[in-house]
Structure formats: C-alpha cells, structure tokens
C-alpha cells in the first residue's frame, strides 16, 4: 500500500496563476480532506469529502475548489493564487463507519510558495 | 462552529520529566477525539478516544477523555528527546493549534 500520496512536494507560483495539487489514496477510504498548515495555526480544514461525488467546505475554503469523481482521488485546485495561500498543504483520508471516522492518514505534504 | 482548544501552546521540560497536555472542545455532534504527533513532517496518529473515563495507553503515553467536561489530556511520562514534537488534538476533522513540546537533554 502506498497510503496517501501527494504531488508535487514543492511548488512556486506567481500571483494569479492556477494549479492543481494532486492527492490519491489506495486504502479505499470514504473520507478525504485537505488542510493547510501555517506557523502557529495548526491544521485548518479547506474542503472535505465523505464519498465519491460528495464534497463540502471546511473552515477556509475561499480560493480553492475540489472534486471527488473517484474514491481514490481528491485534487485541490487553486483558482488564482495569492501570497496568502503560501502554506504547507496536507491531504488526508480516513476509514469511516456511518458518521464515525477513524484516524486520518496524511500525505507527505506540498509546500507551496506564491510570490 | 466546532472548536478545539489546546493548552499550553508550548512547553519546555527536561528529559525524564512528566508532562500533561490539554485539549478542550465544543462541537455539535461529538463522536471521537484523536491525538496526533507531528515532528517535521505529516502528523501521525497516537490515540482515538470515544468513551469517557477509559484510559488509552501506549508505552509512556496515555490519554483519557471526559465527555461531561468536554476535555481530554495526553500524558507523557519519563520524557525523552524523541518526544519533542507538536502534539495535535482533533475532534472529527477540526484540529486544535497544537502544543509544541521541547525536551531538553
């Protein structure tokens, strides 16, 4: 099992550019999430999905889009990058039973810098 | 809005000391509380707590949940330098800001 994979590991964008951060998991987990981590801010939820075709906003969704066409993949799109989106981005997945989700497995993270 | 608050924000102790990290929460539909350890990379799972009063233990680490008072504690006994990390508490998909623990040899 590869677990949760994320690409790229590092990315530098100019203000206004768009890009997609890729996330995939091979554990057949229903729940998938995207977080950003800034110094002193912990992990803040951007968007999440409880299954293929279902997505919802988290705490800080503005400037980001997601889709979940398969159980395995959950890409995060930055529509028009801004310096405030400079951060480390983590994708995570978890097994669930009904509304109870278990521990999240995290990808290695993507360090994004917007200049 | 779900809220998870951790304290202290940072803690510096000497090797061999015992530490207690705190996590309180206000959420609309509690199902479980989870503790993670984050060193330089992605968080890794420590404990999941769903029932009040039942201690989870793993070596020198232990954790307990109080659903009436809406908090949990994470204890680390006989700390080692390898315990230096940020410890994160989460309820569902909401994380606290973490406690940065530094162990001085």
């Amino acid at each position: 099992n590869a677990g949760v994979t994320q690409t790229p590991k590092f990315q530098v964008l100019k203000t206004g550019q768009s890009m997609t951060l890729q996330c995939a998991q091979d554990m057949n987990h229903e729940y998938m999430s995207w977080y950003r981590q800034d110094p002193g801010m912990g992990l803040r939820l951007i968007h999440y999905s409880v299954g293929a075709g279902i997505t919802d906003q988290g705490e800080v969704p503005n400037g980001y889009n997601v889709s979940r066409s398969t159980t395995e993949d959950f890409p995060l799109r930055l529509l028009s990058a801004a310096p405030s989106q400079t951060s480390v981005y983590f994708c995570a997945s978890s097994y669930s039973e009904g509304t109870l989700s278990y521990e999240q497995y995290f990808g290695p993270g993507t360090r994004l810098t917007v200049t | 809005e779900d809220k998870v608050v951790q304290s202290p924000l940072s803690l510096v102790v000497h090797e061999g000391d015992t530490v207690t990290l705190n996590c309180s929460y206000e959420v609309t539909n509690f199902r479980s509380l989870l503790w993670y350890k984050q060193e330089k990379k992605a968080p890794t799972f420590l404990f999941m707590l769903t029932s009040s009063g039942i201690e989870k233990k793993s070596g020198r680490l232990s954790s307990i949940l109080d659903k009436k008072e809406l908090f949990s504690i994470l204890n680390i006994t006989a700390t080692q330098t390898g315990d230096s990390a940020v410890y994160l508490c989460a309820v569902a998909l909401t994380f606290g800001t973490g406690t940065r623990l530094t162990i001085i040899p």
Side-chain angles (χ1 to χ4, degrees), chain B residues 27-72:
Chain B
V27 299
T28 50
N29 188 16
F30 179 86
R31 301 301 305 274
S32 61
L33 183 145
L34 300 103
W35 286 96
Y36 295 83
K37 178 181 182 182
Q38 185 176 26
E39 297 173 88
K40 293 197 189 302
K41 299 180 182 176
T44 54
F45 170 73
L46 293 174
F47 298 112
M48 176 172 163
L49 303 150
T50 56
S51 301
S52 253
I54 298 176
E55 186 182 49
K56 292 277 183 96
K57 255 181 108 63
S58 176
R60 297 175 293 102
L61 278 66
S62 63
S63 184
I64 197 158
L65 174 67
D66 185 329
K67 285 168 77 171
K68 184 178 172 193
E69 299 298 330
L70 308 183
F71 78 91
S72 172

Side-chain angles (χ1 to χ4, degrees), chain A residues 23-68:
Chain A
C23 175
Q25 53 94 6
D26 62 358
M27 297 172 281
N28 203 31
H29 287 166
E30 289 297 320
Y31 279 41
M32 294 188 75
S33 313
W34 274 103
Y35 293 89
R36 60 177 290 173
Q37 187 170 37
D38 303 298
M41 298 289 287
L43 289 162
R44 291 188 293 168
L45 183 65
I46 305 171
H47 285 284
Y48 66 99
S49 169
V50 299
I54 307 168
T55 63
D56 209 345
Q57 295 182 352
E59 180 189 352
V60 288
N62 292 343
Y64 307 95
N65 268 356
V66 292
S67 60
R68 184 102 179 265

Side-chain angles (χ1 to χ4, degrees), chain A residues 3-25:
Chain A
V4 180
T5 57
Q6 286 183 240
T7 55
K9 286 191 166 49
F10 301 95
Q11 183 71 50
V12 179
L13 290 178
K14 291 190 186 325
T15 297
Q17 287 184 315
S18 62
M19 78 159 295
T20 298
L21 306 185
Q22 301 292 344
C23 175
Q25 53 94 6

Side-chain angles (χ1 to χ4, degrees), chain A residues 33-113:
Chain A
S33 313
W34 274 103
Y35 293 89
R36 60 177 290 173
Q37 187 170 37
D38 303 298
M41 298 289 287
L43 289 162
R44 291 188 293 168
L45 183 65
I46 305 171
H47 285 284
Y48 66 99
S49 169
V50 299
I54 307 168
T55 63
D56 209 345
Q57 295 182 352
E59 180 189 352
V60 288
N62 292 343
Y64 307 95
N65 268 356
V66 292
S67 60
R68 184 102 179 265
S69 55
T70 67
T71 299
E72 294 78 20
D73 299 298
F74 192 43
L76 178 73
R77 293 182 197 83
L78 278 70
L79 309 172
S80 176
S84 60
Q85 294 179 304
T86 293
S87 189
V88 178
Y89 290 83
F90 288 104
C91 178
S93 73
S94 61
Y95 170 70
S96 61
E97 288 178 345
T99 58
L100 175 64
S101 64
Y102 290 79
E103 67 269 25
Q104 294 196 78
Y105 293 78
F106 286 84
T110 295
R111 186 173 292 276
L112 175 69
T113 303

